Amino acid sequence: MAFDSATLVFLLLGGLAGGFVTGLAGFGTGLAAAGVWFHALEPATVPPLVALVSIGGQAVASLSVRHAFDRRRAAPYLLGGIAGVPLGVALLAVASPDMLRLAVGLLLVVYTLLSIARRLPVPPCSRAADAAVGFGGGALGGFAGLSGPLPVIWLRLQGGSTETQRAVYQPFNLLVLALAAAAMAASGAMDATALQAAAICLPAALAAAWIGARLYQRIDATLFHRIVTALLCLSGLILIVEVVFSPKV
C-alpha cells in the first residue's frame, strides 16, 4: 500500500522517538513510538512494527556496551526469556491486554515513587531469581512487547554500573523481541503493511538510536539513572492513560 504524506510524517516521528530513547536508555522503543504510530496506522499493524523497529534500535544501542557483556551473568535472563516468549504469545488468545498494561503501568509508577523516596528493598541475588525475571520479561515481550521493564527494574535493584546493567538487559530485549517478531511472522501478523512501514521507519530509527547511544556515552551515571527513572515513570503513566481513556467497544 502507499502511505499518504501525513502517515509518512507520523511513521518517521515515531521511528525517531523510539530509536533515540532506545539508544539513550537501552529500552523503550514501543513506549516512545507506539502512541505516535497508533494515530496513523491500523492497530493490528503497530505491534509487528514495534518489534521490527525495536530490533534495529537495540542492535545499534547494544554496540555501545558490547565490551561489558558477560555471558555468565546474562545467561539466566536469556534462557528465561526464551522460555517466556511462547507463554506470552499464547496468552494473546485468552488474556486481556488492557489488564496487563494497567498492571505493568501501576508497577512502573509505584517503583519510581519508591525509588525517589529511597525505600526500595535489596533483592536476593541468585541465578534462579534472574531466570524468573527473564521468564516474566519474555512473557511480557511475547504478549505486549514490554520485555524491558522487569529486567531493568531488577538489575537496578541489584545495583552495579550502568554499563553492566545495560550489557544484560539490552541483549535480553534484542533476543526477546526477535523471538516475538518471529512468532508474529509465523502467525501471519507480520503483513505487507507492517513490513513496508518498517522499511520507512528503520533508517530514521537507526540514525536516532546511534545519536542516543552517543549521548549516553557522554553523560554521567547519576544523570543516566535519573533519565531511566523518569522514563520508567512516564512509560507507566502512558500505559495507564492508554487503558483508562481508550475507547471501549
Side-chain angles (χ1 to χ4, degrees):
M1 65 171 290
F3 296 116
D4 60 34
S5 57
T7 301
L8 289 173
V9 170
F10 278 110
L11 286 173
L12 292 173
L13 286 176
L16 289 169
F20 179 77
V21 168
T22 299
L24 178 62
F27 69 100
T29 301
L31 291 166
V36 179
W37 288 334
F38 273 122
H39 287 289
L41 299 170
E42 292 296 322
T45 302
V46 175
L49 177 59
V50 167
L52 290 171
V53 175
S54 295
I55 292 168
Q58 286 292 345
V60 172
S62 294
L63 294 176
S64 63
V65 293
R66 63 188 183 279
H67 57 279
F69 180 68
D70 183 342
R71 282 194 196 87
R72 188 174 183 279
R73 188 180 186 196
Y77 295 91
L78 298 176
L79 294 174
I82 292 171
V85 169
L87 174 62
V89 174
L91 285 175
L92 282 170
V94 296
S96 166
D98 281 350
M99 291 304 297
L100 180 63
R101 289 188 177 95
L102 182 60
V104 174
L106 291 171
L107 170 66
L108 293 178
V109 172
V110 170
Y111 164 78
T112 52
L113 292 176
L114 291 175
S115 177
I116 293 170
R118 300 184 183 277
R119 294 187 177 276
L120 291 169
V122 178
C125 299
S126 72
R127 293 174 69 81
D130 293 345
V133 170
F135 181 85
L140 287 173
F143 184 83
L146 297 171
S147 59
L150 281 184
V152 169
I153 290 174
W154 184 252
L155 286 161
R156 293 192 73 196
L157 288 174
Q158 292 187 41
S161 71
T162 59
E163 283 200 341
T164 57
Q165 292 177 29
R166 285 187 65 146
V168 173
Y169 68 71
Q170 283 192 214
F172 172 84
N173 285 336
L174 181 58
L175 174 64
V176 167
L177 291 166
L179 291 174
M184 291 176 189
S187 68
M190 195 77 69
D191 60 12
T193 302
L195 293 174
Q196 185 178 355
I200 294 169
C201 292
L202 268 173
L206 294 177
W210 182 82
I211 294 171
R214 295 280 292 182
L215 181 59
Y216 158 72
Q217 294 175 329
R218 295 175 180 271
I219 61 178
D220 61 28
T222 300
L223 178 57
F224 177 77
H225 281 303
R226 289 175 179 170
I227 291 171
V228 170
T229 299
L231 181 59
L232 287 171
C233 186
L234 180 60
S235 300
L237 291 173
I238 289 172
L239 289 171
I240 293 170
V241 169
E242 285 177 348
V243 173
V244 173
F245 293 100
S246 63
K248 303 297 188 292
V249 179

